[in-house]
Amino acid sequence: MQNSEAMALSAALLATAGELTQRIHEGVVARGFEGLRPAHGFAFARLAPDGATVTDLAAHLGVTKQAASQLVEELVRKGYVERRPHPDDARARLVVLTELGWACTRAAEESAADAVRAWADVLGEGEMRALYTRLVSIAPYGPIRPAW
Amino acid sequence: MQNSEAMALSAALLATAGELTQRIHEGVVARGFEGLRPAHGFAFARLAPDGATVTDLAAHLGVTKQAASQLVEELVRKGYVERRPHPDDARARLVVLTELGWACTRAAEESAADAVRAWADVLGEGEMRALYTRLVSIAPYGPIRPAW
DNA sequence: GAATATAGTCAAGCAGCTTGACCAAATCGT
DNA sequence: ACGATTTGGTCAAGCTGCTTGACTATATTC
């Protein structure tokens, strides 16, 4: 594959990712959740299963603890998460989603599904699944970083 | 496709895009181009063929004219682009890549090709091309926005 | 040819991140 | 068991990249 093709592939990937972020965000807003930025969605993704500490979150987002702490503080203020004492570690605090936070997470899932459905309309369901499995097989495990 | 699958696909896409950005940037740095941020790469992509005005660039990047103007000023200072009078419009100025800017663009292409090659090692060349064509067919035309 | 729109810059302000310093609780090493 | 070190978290200050608002100069419209 030539360099120019690699560049075209990269551009397509990055443009698609940017648009997806935009659409999910718009969908979340349209469902009535305001005062959130796309970055919060990535935080929710980490908090969703069982909560996480600020340090976990910082690692997941690829930012400093301080930045993650500020982000949590903002989400607490807006009612999406709450801090609970950590069961095993008196220094740490477990950040968990509130019911509002869960509702917002479901809204994000619906928005993502809407966006993905638009692609499926173009590609077809089978091609869509192929795209899915390919992307998953090359997706990294590390922190989720902004596309730029 | 279920909502949770759509979310998993989205996460994979965004994580991959973030990693790609990171790798291209690291590759560019490794090739000796410093003082650049990933956003500059997207500016280069718009400037590459024949140059562009600040307003064009702003639309392409999805930011204000002022932000684009500051970015251009920075690139001028660092020697990657230069401002020329616009041939048809005395108000406007055409921003074009310098030789250094072109060299940096080529370095970015090489870095992108390296990153893509790593995926081809996992997927195989054929699967890679399939991924490419599918991504291109769903990639949007609008402004390139950050993934969050 | 006056009214309006467009290209670009200057200036000020703000939001989100960073570095640096610090405290309290946990863990390590002897 | 206990001092030394590491780890989780916050506070404070500062920087950077973006925004909004105001303005000038050239183009376009009627």
Side-chain angles (χ1 to χ4, degrees):
Chain A
M1 186 172 265
Q2 298 167 352
N3 285 2
S4 59
E5 284 177 304
M7 209 58 189
L9 169 59
S10 299
L13 179 65
L14 295 171
T16 304
E19 165 136 321
L20 176 61
T21 300
Q22 181 87 349
R23 288 199 183 211
I24 292 177
H25 183 244
E26 285 168 358
V28 168
V29 170
R31 285 169 174 81
F33 299 91
E34 298 190 12
L36 291 173
R37 284 167 291 117
H40 295 137
F42 294 95
F44 283 19
R46 182 66 185 79
L47 298 176
D50 305 297
T53 66
V54 164
T55 301
D56 289 340
L57 203 51
H60 182 246
L61 296 177
V63 298
T64 59
K65 289 187 301 181
Q66 292 90 325
S69 186
Q70 286 174 18
L71 190 145
V72 167
E73 175 56 28
E74 186 185 350
L75 291 177
V76 168
R77 252 191 356 254
K78 293 178 176 170
Y80 292 103
V81 306
E82 58 186 22
R83 301 187 221 243
R84 303 179 152 261
H86 194 287
D88 306 330
D89 190 333
R91 295 169 303 177
R93 310 169 79 177
L94 200 57
V95 181
V96 298
L97 294 179
T98 61
E99 188 44 53
L100 182 64
W102 281 106
C104 186
T105 301
R106 286 190 295 271
E109 285 183 357
E110 291 167 16
S111 303
D114 285 350
V116 167
R117 219 181 331 271
W119 298 340
D121 289 346
V122 176
L123 294 180
E125 183 76 14
E127 295 286 315
M128 197 66 218
R129 292 209 159 271
L131 179 66
Y132 173 59
T133 52
R134 265 156 216 154
L135 271 176
V136 168
S137 73
I138 61 174
Y141 287 105
I144 307 270
R145 307 182 155 283
W148 84 60
Chain B
M1 185 171 263
Q2 297 167 351
N3 284 2
S4 60
E5 285 177 307
M7 210 58 190
L9 168 59
S10 299
L13 180 64
L14 296 170
T16 304
E19 164 136 323
L20 176 61
T21 301
Q22 180 87 351
R23 288 201 183 207
I24 292 177
H25 183 244
E26 286 169 357
V28 168
V29 170
R31 284 170 175 81
F33 299 90
E34 297 190 13
L36 291 174
R37 284 168 292 116
H40 295 135
F42 294 93
F44 282 19
R46 181 66 184 80
L47 298 175
D50 306 298
T53 66
V54 164
T55 300
D56 289 339
L57 203 51
H60 183 247
L61 297 177
V63 297
T64 59
K65 288 188 303 182
Q66 293 90 326
S69 186
Q70 286 175 16
L71 191 146
V72 167
E73 174 56 30
E74 185 186 350
L75 290 177
V76 168
R77 249 187 3 249
K78 293 177 176 171
Y80 293 102
V81 306
E82 59 187 20
R83 302 186 221 245
R84 306 182 149 258
H86 194 287
D88 306 332
D89 189 335
R91 294 170 304 176
R93 310 168 80 175
L94 200 58
V95 180
V96 298
L97 294 178
T98 61
E99 189 44 54
L100 181 64
W102 280 106
C104 185
T105 300
R106 287 189 295 270
E109 286 182 356
E110 291 167 16
S111 303
D114 286 348
V116 168
R117 220 180 333 271
W119 299 339
D121 289 345
V122 176
L123 294 180
E125 183 77 14
E127 295 285 315
M128 198 65 218
R129 293 207 159 270
L131 179 67
Y132 173 58
T133 53
R134 263 154 218 156
L135 271 176
V136 168
S137 74
I138 61 174
Y141 286 107
I144 307 269
R145 306 183 157 282
W148 89 58

